[in-house]
Amino acid sequence: IFQTTSSAVNELEITNGASGSPVTITSSGDDSDIDITMTPKGTGVVNISSGLKAAGFYDTNIVLQSGTGSEDLESVAAKNLVWYSKEVQAANIKLPPATSSNKGMVIKIIVGTANWAANAFKLGFANGSSTVMTGFIHLAAADGSEAVDGFQITANAKSLTIDSDDPTAAGGAIGSTYTFTYLEANLVHVEAFGVSTSGVPALDAGASLTAGI
């Protein structure tokens, strides 16, 4: 069934392809920018039976921190994100809460080319949020001279303690990476691989806290 719109100026074109060339679906019309919207009914979804390749997909999901102040990522849209800092990050990094709308989203936080501050700050969720973490923390020494330590994230934790030279915290030196996978409303899995600049890695319960930001 082809629906119509009165006074329409935009339309959809379907073009066949020669051998080795794709079939294309293109929006055209009077407007300079024309979206294409596919709307399933009710709880239906758009199914793609084979691979998906999207031009520009990797151009918009990497964010470089500017400065060393606190960062609020709560307004991030429900899409994967890589966030990194090449500065001496020294203040809290707040993540978006987990909802039924953003389940499956993955946020990766990376310490770039400079060790983060040697004073404690938090990476996690707002104190008033219902979102909590589950997962595991690994901590290695920056010079590789000590064994990697591991510690289960505290039950109902809302934040990780970041301190680049504290061997009991969740890291913060160059090489530290924190991956947050949104499982369901209010629950996020965390795989934290931290690096400390000093001491023997000896994680404890203080590396993840039930107090948020």
Side-chain angles (χ1 to χ4, degrees):
I1 300 174
F2 289 91
Q3 305 292 347
T4 61
T5 300
S6 59
S7 304
V9 296
N10 301 319
E11 62 277 335
L12 192 68
E13 296 180 353
I14 301 176
T15 306
N16 56 10
S19 177
S21 299
V23 174
T24 59
I25 300 175
T26 309
S27 56
S28 65
D30 292 355
D31 292 343
S32 56
D33 299 297
I34 306 171
D35 294 336
I36 297 176
T37 301
M38 293 184 286
T39 308
K41 182 178 179 181
T43 59
V45 298
V46 176
N47 293 304
I48 298 175
S49 59
S50 189
L52 174 64
K53 181 179 180 182
F57 181 81
Y58 296 108
D59 297 337
T60 60
N61 69 338
I62 298 180
V63 174
L64 172 62
Q65 162 75 316
S66 59
T68 61
S70 60
E71 181 75 3
D72 189 345
L73 301 175
E74 285 191 298
S75 61
V76 167
K79 65 178 182 179
N80 295 348
L81 172 70
V82 174
W83 183 98
Y84 72 108
S85 174
K86 298 191 293 184
E87 307 294 335
V88 183
Q89 180 69 23
N92 295 336
I93 303 169
K94 189 186 298 183
L95 302 174
T99 67
S100 58
S101 299
N102 63 13
K103 63 182 179 180
M105 179 173 72
V106 177
I107 294 180
K108 181 173 287 188
I109 306 295
I110 297 174
V111 178
T113 55
N115 294 325
W116 287 0
N119 57 270
F121 63 91
K122 293 178 180 179
L123 166 60
F125 305 102
N127 202 42
S129 168
S130 298
T131 301
V132 296
M133 305 176 182
T134 184
F136 203 78
I137 305 171
H138 305 268
L139 185 68
D143 62 5
S145 62
E146 306 292 345
V148 175
D149 194 26
F151 203 89
Q152 192 175 68
I153 286 177
T154 301
N156 298 316
K158 291 182 179 293
S159 64
L160 302 178
T161 302
I162 306 299
D163 187 333
S164 66
D165 74 346
D166 182 351
T168 68
I174 295 170
S176 299
T177 304
Y178 309 93
T179 302
F180 298 83
T181 302
Y182 285 60
L183 301 178
E184 60 184 51
N186 299 325
L187 183 62
V188 174
H189 179 270
V190 182
E191 184 177 3
F193 187 89
V195 180
S196 176
T197 59
S198 64
V200 178
L203 288 163
D204 59 28
S208 53
L209 305 170
T210 55
I213 296 170

